[in-house]
Amino acid sequence: MRFENKVAVVTGGASGIGAATVKRLAAEGASVMLADLNDGPGQALVDTLPAGKASYRHVDVAVQEEVEGLIEATVAEFGGLDILVNNAGIGSLAETPDLTPEDWHKVIAVDLHSIYYACRVAIPEMRKRGGGAIVNTASISGLFGDYGFSVYNAAKGAVINYTKSMAIDHGKDNIRINAICPGLIKTGLTEEGLLAGPVADHWQAGIPIGRYGTPEEMANVICFLASDEASFMTGSIVVADGGQTAHTGQPNLTKLMQELS
Ligand SMILES: NC(=O)c1ccc[n+]([C@@H]2O[C@H](COP(=O)([O-])OP(=O)(O)OC[C@H]3O[C@@H](n4cnc5c(N)ncnc54)[C@H](O)[C@@H]3O)[C@@H](O)[C@H]2O)c1
């Protein structure tokens, strides 16, 4: 029960990594405000949690007023704010000349601006409680480039450095700010299209552990970073990717030479 008497907000909590995080926070005692655009699954998840300990709110995290309303509503309903998980995110598959300005602005707004909107109003609330923890869902795509992920790479790279910047500013407030960099995780974001058919086999072949990760494996890391167990961690960028970014990208020579011999 690491989160007893704690109040948490999770954006993008209706699905995938966010939903697994909501479940884990609630199971360990937190009151949770789940924010998403996807009302049906969001409300359905809240309905499975103990009455009075969880709420769903329709929020477009790209819209500043809606994010501010989310933090205000959380404080009004649960009495304060201790944990913020900035998790909502979207991707886009296009090289720069084919990327429309609308898509560029949308991905940057959802993946990056949302974190500024939320932290701007959440940090003062956390100060009132004497501290808090913020976990941003970045990506291994914020550490390196991917073919065709131009704007997603830009947004997630910015999330990583913004996490470090806020961490150093708010150490004095006893607010720890960390980011997780998931590798390939089987969620709504990846299931449709990207993980369909042969693409999944090729992709998983590049992961030393030999499989994609699960939302629950990411929730384990997020909840660790949000908990007092991570009390000396701030500005940390925690990779959870089955070893995908541990290698240089060079071919697997032992395998290749066996195949060629
Ligand atoms: N799945 C992966 O392989 C992977 C890898 C690295 C990073 N991530 C990141 O993890 C986070 C969660 O993604 P996921 O894989 O669980 O995907 P998902 O699609 O299952 O969940 C994302 C949730 O965010 C919500 N959302 C999208 N736009 C929103 C908006 N404007 N306002 C409010 N909610 C919005 C969606 O409705 C959805 O419920 C994202 O930030 C994503 O970039 C995912």
Side-chain angles (χ1 to χ4, degrees), residues 82-170:
D82 305 290
I83 295 164
L84 169 64
V85 182
N86 288 307
N87 169 77
I90 54 171
S92 155
L93 188 62
E95 294 175 8
T96 296
D98 303 319
L99 185 65
T100 64
E102 291 73 25
D103 280 348
W104 172 272
H105 289 295
K106 187 172 178 199
V107 174
I108 297 287
V110 174
D111 292 4
L112 178 62
H113 293 176
S114 61
I115 297 182
Y116 158 67
Y117 298 151
C119 291
R120 185 174 164 274
V121 287
I123 287 169
E125 291 301 334
M126 290 179 178
R127 280 188 185 132
K128 291 181 197 163
R129 309 269 273 191
I134 298 173
V135 184
N136 298 323
T137 307
S139 171
I140 57 170
S141 300
L143 297 168
F144 304 99
D146 300 292
Y147 293 102
F149 276 19
S150 48
V151 64
Y152 189 69
N153 288 145
K156 293 297 186 177
V159 170
I160 287 171
N161 219 26
Y162 185 37
T163 299
K164 292 180 185 177
S165 174
M166 285 195 291
I168 60 174
D169 279 342
H170 300 291

Side-chain angles (χ1 to χ4, degrees), residues 10 13 18-34 41-56 78:
V10 180
T21 303
V22 167
K23 288 180 203 161
R24 186 68 187 267
L25 286 166
E28 294 199 46
S31 299
V32 186
M33 178 66 87
L34 185 171
Q43 188 58 54
L45 173 51
V46 162
D47 291 344
T48 66
L49 302 175
K53 294 278 283 177
S55 260
Y56 174 77
F78 297 118

Side-chain angles (χ1 to χ4, degrees), residues 12 15 17 36 59-61 87 137-139 152 156 182-183 185 187-189:
S15 159
I17 296 168
D36 208 292
V59 176
D60 182 347
V61 295
N87 169 77
T137 307
S139 171
Y152 189 69
K156 293 297 186 177
I185 313 302
T187 67
L189 196 70

